[in-house]
Amino acid sequence: MLVVLGDSGTGKSFFMSKCAIEIGQKTDHFLYHFVGCCPESIDPVNILQRLCSHMANHVSEDGVEGMSSMSYIQLQNLFHQLLKKLSHRDGRLVVLIDGLNQVSDNGLPTYLEWLPPTFPSNVRFIVSTTSDPATLQRLRGRRPPPNELKLLVLGQEARQNIVKTYFKQYNKMLDDEQLDLLTSSAGAGNPVWLAMACEELRVFGDYSRLTEKIDSLPASLEGLMNMLISRIIKEDETGYITQMLCLIECSQHGLQESELQMLLGDPETATPLPALLWGQVLRTLKPFLRNTAGHQNLSLLGFFHESVSKVVQKSLLGTPAVQQSYHKRLADYYQGQCANQQLVVTNLPYHLKKAGLEDRLADFSKNDPRSSQKSTADHLKATVKESS
């Protein structure tokens, strides 16, 4: 196993994407999985299903058609069996998994148990992770321990090239002193920090104070995100920026644009936020958001980086009462306004539980016909298990 290590924002996913492209050009016996690219991708069951399906095709294994109904333990056993069969075959299997620290069983005693203690000689596993203690403890506890590749911070030349290229898009540039001051910052070795710093400087209106502004940028990624988010909230003329950030953070995996428009609109009349206001909010928050594929392949808006989530959690959702108020708002929407039954099934039990509305959760499970669906029952069981 090869473990690619890097701090948050240092470019692990970019590096792993580049590796995936090059490996894919050299072999068809290759599977890549990017944890966090969609809601299902963080589930170890989903990872095992993909691994087993790919491997079964190469060992001509029959009897795996029922994988979709297999339990976690059954899939884990099947994966180990397929690895043994694969060891007797010619050719090499390469598996690349980005963001192993984001797998949803993190912190449990069985964390990463699906990874076998050793791999056949014709199997290569490449994974990336932050320095998450639970993940590294599991990986470094393997015998033999994995090889590790540490991603280094950006060099000075690379930093300057990034800054110059960024500002060139907008027909702007920093003078030599400003360029040196920005790229010499302790945070500038982190690509995400550097990109967000450039964006903050681009929209800064007072050129006479630009050098002072550069000097004031916090060196930590979370500190910089906090400065940026505090600034846009302070300048917000719509009154909806804070609400949208909190709603996204409290959602399970992100929200559709249409859902956000309804949630920010008038719940009494079920009127969405007017298009002009919505466009203004979305344009302001664009640097902090990304689109991902959710349930039914619906496009969801979420945060582009975990540092945004941390800032919103600490600065805007700092108390249980505030968090519960947003979960109640989401629960009210899914119970009373959302027309997509699958989204109700997926989200309503979760938000009722998080809002502390156990009575409404019990009433939903007993009296709402939507709760009789199998998928709803599974979510309700998971919610009960979580609370216990």
Side-chain angles (χ1 to χ4, degrees):
M1 178 183 283
L2 173 65
V3 177
V4 177
L5 280 172
D7 295 331
S8 180
T10 52
K12 293 185 302 301
S13 293
F14 179 85
F15 176 81
M16 296 291 274
S17 299
K18 180 67 173 175
C19 290
I21 291 170
E22 296 197 6
I23 296 169
Q25 292 172 346
K26 296 178 180 179
T27 178
D28 293 329
H29 203 4
F30 168 53
L31 179 70
Y32 61 85
H33 186 95
F34 283 75
V35 182
C37 69
C38 64
E40 292 80 8
S41 67
I42 67 174
D43 188 350
V45 170
N46 176 266
I47 298 173
L48 285 168
Q49 286 174 341
R50 295 197 66 214
L51 284 167
C52 291
S53 178
H54 181 89
M55 293 166 63
N57 291 333
H58 286 270
V59 297
S60 301
E61 177 69 12
D62 296 325
V64 294
E65 294 82 2
M67 277 193 297
S68 60
S69 60
M70 287 185 181
S71 67
Y72 167 76
I73 297 299
Q74 289 173 322
L75 286 166
Q76 177 180 301
N77 292 336
L78 176 60
F79 175 46
H80 293 183
Q81 292 169 15
L82 290 171
L83 278 174
K84 290 180 182 178
K85 292 187 177 183
L86 195 65
S87 66
H88 303 297
R89 301 287 175 134
D90 295 330
R92 174 179 293 175
L93 168 66
V94 182
V95 177
L96 181 148
I97 301 178
D98 177 57
L100 198 63
N101 56 290
Q102 299 180 60
V103 175
S104 64
D105 57 351
N106 194 338
L108 298 177
T110 58
Y111 181 48
L112 299 184
E113 192 178 71
W114 52 272
L115 285 172
T118 59
F119 292 105
S121 59
N122 60 343
V123 174
R124 297 289 185 271
F125 249 71
I126 306 169
V127 301
S128 74
T129 178
T130 61
S131 299
D132 174 69
T135 307
L136 284 183
Q137 182 180 0
R138 281 286 180 176
L139 295 178
R140 288 174 173 169
R142 298 169 61 85
R143 292 292 178 268
N147 298 302
E148 294 185 11
L149 174 64
K150 176 74 172 179
L151 293 187
L152 304 178
V153 298
L154 293 171
Q156 186 69 9
E157 183 179 357
R159 301 179 193 190
Q160 293 193 357
N161 286 337
I162 289 172
V163 174
K164 290 176 181 178
T165 301
Y166 189 92
F167 284 109
K168 188 177 180 180
Q169 300 175 84
Y170 303 98
N171 296 315
K172 295 184 177 184
M173 62 182 295
L174 302 180
D175 64 33
D176 291 343
E177 179 188 355
Q178 293 166 342
L179 180 63
D180 184 65
L181 182 61
L182 176 61
T183 57
S184 297
S185 169
N190 184 307
V192 172
W193 186 97
L194 196 56
M196 297 307 294
C198 286
E199 174 63 17
E200 179 69 359
L201 296 175
R202 182 185 73 83
V203 299
F204 187 67
D206 188 351
Y207 186 80
S208 65
R209 296 178 53 240
L210 188 59
T211 301
E212 179 185 339
K213 177 67 175 180
I214 295 172
D215 196 43
S216 72
L217 297 175
S220 71
L221 180 57
E222 191 171 328
L224 179 64
M225 285 295 182
N226 189 55
M227 171 187 274
L228 270 59
I229 290 173
S230 297
R231 191 260 304 164
I232 65 171
I233 289 174
K234 183 178 180 180
E235 297 175 354
D236 177 30
E237 297 178 351
T238 69
Y240 294 104
I241 295 293
T242 295
Q243 296 179 54
M244 181 161 163
L245 289 169
C246 291
L247 286 166
I248 291 175
E249 175 60 25
C250 288
S251 68
Q252 291 199 78
H253 307 294
L255 293 163
Q256 297 176 67
E257 289 192 27
S258 59
E259 291 180 307
L260 282 163
Q261 284 182 268
M262 291 299 297
L263 284 159
L264 294 173
D266 185 351
E268 297 295 328
T269 60
T271 304
L273 190 68
L276 187 62
L277 277 175
W278 169 248
Q280 189 174 345
V281 173
L282 190 60
R283 185 169 58 254
T284 302
L285 289 176
K286 184 179 179 181
F288 305 94
L289 304 176
R290 68 167 180 172
N291 277 297
T292 59
H295 294 288
Q296 302 174 329
N297 287 321
L298 297 171
S299 179
L300 301 177
L301 280 178
F303 298 137
F304 91 102
H305 196 265
E306 63 180 353
S307 59
V308 184
S309 176
K310 288 180 180 178
V311 169
V312 173
Q313 188 65 237
K314 291 179 181 180
S315 301
L316 306 180
L317 292 167
T319 66
V322 174
Q323 294 177 32
Q324 287 187 335
S325 70
Y326 277 100
H327 283 293
K328 180 181 182 301
R329 190 166 166 180
L330 285 155
D332 291 343
Y333 165 75
Y334 284 113
Q335 191 158 25
Q337 289 181 271
C338 182
N340 186 318
Q341 190 157 314
Q342 184 58 45
L343 291 178
V344 175
V345 161
T346 304
N347 292 288
L348 180 56
Y350 172 82
H351 289 297
L352 288 173
K353 175 61 187 174
K354 288 291 185 179
L357 301 172
E358 283 83 1
D359 290 344
R360 277 179 58 180
L361 177 60
D363 182 68
F364 172 73
S365 64
K366 292 177 182 177
N367 303 318
D368 196 309
R370 293 172 292 187
S371 68
S372 62
Q373 292 190 14
K374 180 183 182 301
S375 52
T376 310
D378 291 341
H379 282 282
L380 287 168
K381 289 178 181 177
T383 304
V384 172
K385 182 179 180 182
E386 177 189 341
S387 63
S388 62

